[in-house]
Amino acid sequence: MDHSCHQRRNGVVVPEPCPHLAEFRSRHGTKAFRALQECLKVRPPGRAAIRRDPNEVPRCGSCGLSALPRLYACVVCAAVSCYAHAPSHAAAGGGGGHEIAVDVDRAELFCCLCRDQVYDRDFDSAVVLAQTVASTLGGGSAIRSPPPPPENLRKRRRVDYRPWTPDSRERALMGRNSIPMNRTTGGETSSDLPWGLRGLNNLGNTCFMNSVLQAFLHTPPLRNYFLSDRHNRYFCQQKNSVKKNDTSYNKNSRLCLACDMDAMFSAVFSGDRTPYSPAKFLYSWWQHAANLASYEQQDAHEFFISMLDGIHEKVEKDKRKPQNQGNGDCCIAHRVFCGILRSDVMCTACGFTSTTYDPCVDISLDLEPNQVASSKTSTKSLHSCNNGEADSLYSSQSCGISTLMGCLDRFTRPERLGSDQKFFCQRCQVRQESLKQMSIRKLPLVSCFHIKRFEHSPIRNMSRKVDRYLQFPFSLDMAPYLSSSILRSRFGNRIFSFDGDEQDGSGSSELSSEFELFAVITHTGKLDAGHYVTYLRLSNQWYKCDDAWITQVNENIVRAAQGYMMFYVQKMLYYKVSEKAVAP
């Protein structure tokens, strides 16, 4: 943009209007823009354009060319001009409002004298209203008010982080009820390892469990939750013992995985460096997943999902307000890992869109298909890889390998459903061809990406492992994959808020889309005979956790690893104002 002055209103950048647009508004008001709403049409996947006859080809009135990248229709006289001849048309109009035109294919305002795209709130209101009417039932017969301007957005209440220091009463309580940690336990050879880094004994093909547990033990929000005694196993067991005296108590009730996690956090962060045996946790998990109770090798991703379900099932819920798994507030497992996916299915005939929302604790990604080297690079990938890692050790191979950003691009790009998956359009009342697009409505505190490395061919009736290398960044910007970004790209980068923007505190703001990699689970070997290893990033140093053995490694070893599950944590965590009154 040529205009250097911008205003920021509730996180939305609103450029200053150009003087020619301000003069146009002073003469014609907003009626000219409102009248344009009848001249707009919406075509899949939801982009607005100027309505015209299907056989009509717009051409520049001066040069007669039609195959130009941009053509503009004058708002006053509807004359079509190209980028080169638009200024001459505005000058010939003698300042009667011919300076303002509309992009024929994108329905965006253009100033012919400034030769730049300009923004107007009332014009964008008309365009967004036309898109909203086109994507919902009722067509143009329903008269609706335009979306509220950004000034009316509700702000998320945030408070500054303040480090806690105990007062005299709290110090006395801690002195009476706590035991100091012994940092000298375990010998001098392990003194250089970070606090809490401890090996886990293999109990018989349990490397799948050890790899996930290492990632859990060093997930910052989970670690802070359990080490701050938010789930006290003694108190939880005491409550369960009271329930046992109740006649309605189920004797077959399974053990609490959260209590076992609390015991494991206490043991791992006790200072003891000798390998820990998570036998009690394994037994409790077998009670929750009886179909997986064996000493055979299991899938780490399946164990991850089963473990979260077990913690979610047994954690005590707050009875004073309804809890919902979809909003991620039901338990610590979902508060940390749960996000919300948005799925849009659009009818290609009329533009009607069916939108659904689903909670998810991870995102499973397909590897990019094998392709020849190409000079094209995804703009989203360039935006996401913001730490210069494109020039890493493997940059020379980047054209022929899969990247995490490329997998996310593939996950969020529009997909045309096949003829055998026709979508029943509620407006057409028949099954139609459709486009489907996924996006992320809400980001979790910790994003887990699962790479689909195990394939099953129904034709050959056999399974195999995909050993292709995946390049993943240490810093990741998830903004291009948010619903707000996808919708803005689809609707022409309007300045209004869209579904997915931060309105009620449940959305993801642009300040919280930056993530840091802290754990990578890898799988080596074959489908039926492999081994899982976890790489952890602690204090900006990488460590390899291979069951009971902990070794320090170089980051290039991590980059070259065959990633199966990647864990990213938000760089900046925001604190909400507490709903409970705090005693002074």
Side-chain angles (χ1 to χ4, degrees), residues 293-324:
S294 69
Y295 284 102
E296 296 180 357
Q297 180 70 276
Q298 304 293 342
D299 179 53
H301 177 250
E302 189 174 6
F303 170 75
F304 169 77
I305 299 298
S306 175
M307 182 178 170
L308 290 183
D309 288 341
I311 295 177
H312 165 70
E313 178 182 336
K314 293 295 292 184
V315 167
E316 191 71 22
K317 299 180 179 66
D318 187 354
K319 302 299 183 181
R320 290 170 297 178
K321 59 180 180 179
Q323 300 285 1
N324 181 13

Side-chain angles (χ1 to χ4, degrees), residues 10-31:
N10 295 338
V12 179
V13 176
V14 182
E16 291 286 346
C18 79
H20 309 101
L21 178 61
E23 183 180 356
F24 178 88
R25 287 177 58 90
S26 64
R27 290 186 177 185
H28 302 276
T30 61
K31 294 183 179 180

Side-chain angles (χ1 to χ4, degrees), residues 42-91:
V42 179
R43 56 185 182 182
R47 187 176 297 279
I50 299 299
R51 185 185 303 274
R52 60 178 182 271
D53 187 89
N55 299 323
E56 179 184 358
V57 178
R59 300 177 182 274
C60 175
S62 299
C63 61
L65 297 179
S66 61
L68 296 173
R70 289 287 185 271
L71 290 174
Y72 305 99
C74 179
V75 175
V76 175
C77 64
V80 179
S81 304
C82 63
Y83 182 81
H85 296 97
S88 59
H89 172 77

Side-chain angles (χ1 to χ4, degrees), residues 287 308 366:
Q287 306 305 307
L308 290 183
D366 292 301

Side-chain angles (χ1 to χ4, degrees), residues 414-432:
E415 172 190 7
R416 183 174 292 275
L417 300 181
S419 57
D420 58 334
Q421 297 177 299
K422 284 189 175 181
F423 155 74
F424 182 80
C425 178
Q426 298 184 38
R427 178 182 294 169
C428 301
Q429 290 298 307
V430 294
R431 293 191 175 274
Q432 299 279 18

Side-chain angles (χ1 to χ4, degrees), residues 148-321:
E151 290 85 355
N152 293 338
L153 296 182
R154 285 198 298 161
K155 297 181 180 179
R156 178 190 291 183
R157 298 180 64 201
R158 297 187 180 128
V159 293
D160 295 332
Y161 169 74
R162 296 178 182 177
W164 172 75
T165 55
D167 55 24
S168 57
R169 182 180 62 87
E170 292 168 333
R171 282 195 293 267
L173 287 174
M174 289 189 295
R176 291 195 304 266
N177 301 293
S178 60
I179 301 175
M181 288 184 174
N182 183 10
R183 293 180 175 266
T184 61
T185 305
E188 298 178 356
T189 57
S190 302
S191 59
D192 293 336
L193 294 179
W195 192 249
L197 190 56
R198 185 177 181 182
L200 300 177
N201 286 321
N202 193 314
L203 306 178
N205 289 328
T206 58
C207 60
F208 70 94
M209 178 183 69
N210 292 344
S211 62
V212 176
L213 287 179
Q214 289 286 12
F216 263 61
L217 290 169
H218 297 280
T219 298
L222 275 181
R223 177 197 61 203
N224 298 344
Y225 177 86
F226 282 99
L227 292 185
S228 60
D229 208 26
R230 297 294 299 276
H231 184 91
N232 188 296
R233 60 186 181 277
Y234 302 110
F235 180 67
C236 182
Q237 292 167 3
Q238 183 180 3
K239 287 196 300 182
N240 289 336
S241 64
V242 173
K243 291 181 181 179
K244 288 181 181 180
N245 298 327
D246 190 352
T247 56
S248 62
Y249 177 75
N250 184 8
K251 294 183 179 180
N252 296 324
S253 179
R254 293 172 290 190
L255 302 177
C256 178
L257 278 183
C259 289
D260 293 327
M261 282 298 300
D262 183 58
M264 194 182 311
F265 270 98
S266 299
V268 169
F269 285 87
S270 66
D272 189 356
R273 295 296 188 181
T274 58
Y276 175 76
S277 295
K280 191 174 185 302
F281 182 88
L282 176 63
Y283 175 75
S284 298
W285 175 66
W286 280 350
Q287 306 305 307
H288 286 273
N291 59 319
L292 301 175
S294 69
Y295 284 102
E296 296 180 357
Q297 180 70 276
Q298 304 293 342
D299 179 53
H301 177 250
E302 189 174 6
F303 170 75
F304 169 77
I305 299 298
S306 175
M307 182 178 170
L308 290 183
D309 288 341
I311 295 177
H312 165 70
E313 178 182 336
K314 293 295 292 184
V315 167
E316 191 71 22
K317 299 180 179 66
D318 187 354
K319 302 299 183 181
R320 290 170 297 178
K321 59 180 180 179

Side-chain angles (χ1 to χ4, degrees), residues 369-545:
N370 285 319
Q371 54 187 356
V372 297
S374 173
S375 60
K376 295 182 180 180
T377 305
S378 170
T379 56
K380 290 183 182 178
S381 300
L382 293 176
H383 182 53
S384 303
C385 190
N386 57 3
N387 59 344
E389 292 174 359
D391 299 328
S392 65
L393 178 65
Y394 307 96
S395 60
S396 60
Q397 312 172 25
S398 59
C399 293
I401 61 177
S402 295
T403 65
L404 181 61
M405 292 79 66
C407 294
L408 286 169
D409 288 344
R410 194 164 182 256
F411 179 77
T412 56
R413 74 186 180 189
E415 172 190 7
R416 183 174 292 275
L417 300 181
S419 57
D420 58 334
Q421 297 177 299
K422 284 189 175 181
F423 155 74
F424 182 80
C425 178
Q426 298 184 38
R427 178 182 294 169
C428 301
Q429 290 298 307
V430 294
R431 293 191 175 274
Q432 299 279 18
E433 299 282 345
S434 59
L435 291 174
K436 181 179 180 180
Q437 187 170 23
M438 301 292 296
S439 59
I440 302 174
R441 170 66 175 86
K442 175 187 175 185
L443 287 169
L445 293 178
V446 176
S447 293
C448 173
F449 299 107
H450 162 239
I451 308 302
K452 298 179 182 178
R453 291 196 174 274
F454 304 117
E455 293 182 347
H456 178 75
S457 175
I459 299 177
R460 299 181 179 180
N461 194 22
M462 60 178 297
S463 300
R464 70 182 185 95
K465 181 189 173 187
V466 181
D467 288 321
R468 190 148 18 103
Y469 173 71
L470 175 73
Q471 189 178 42
F472 48 88
F474 286 2
S475 293
L476 179 66
D477 185 5
M478 292 295 293
Y481 316 108
L482 296 178
S483 299
S484 55
S485 300
I486 299 294
L487 292 176
R488 289 184 185 281
S489 176
R490 184 191 304 172
F491 290 158
N493 198 28
R494 304 294 165 189
I495 63 176
F496 281 100
S497 61
F498 293 98
D499 185 28
D501 287 343
E502 179 187 5
Q503 295 188 18
D504 56 0
S506 62
S508 298
S509 67
E510 59 182 352
L511 297 178
S512 60
S513 62
E514 297 283 343
F515 284 76
E516 283 283 349
L517 180 70
F518 71 92
V520 180
I521 296 178
T522 66
H523 181 273
T524 57
K526 299 180 180 179
L527 179 66
D528 54 348
H531 184 60
Y532 290 97
V533 171
T534 300
Y535 293 93
L536 292 175
R537 187 183 192 180
L538 302 172
S539 302
N540 208 28
Q541 177 60 53
W542 285 97
Y543 297 89
K544 179 182 179 181
C545 302

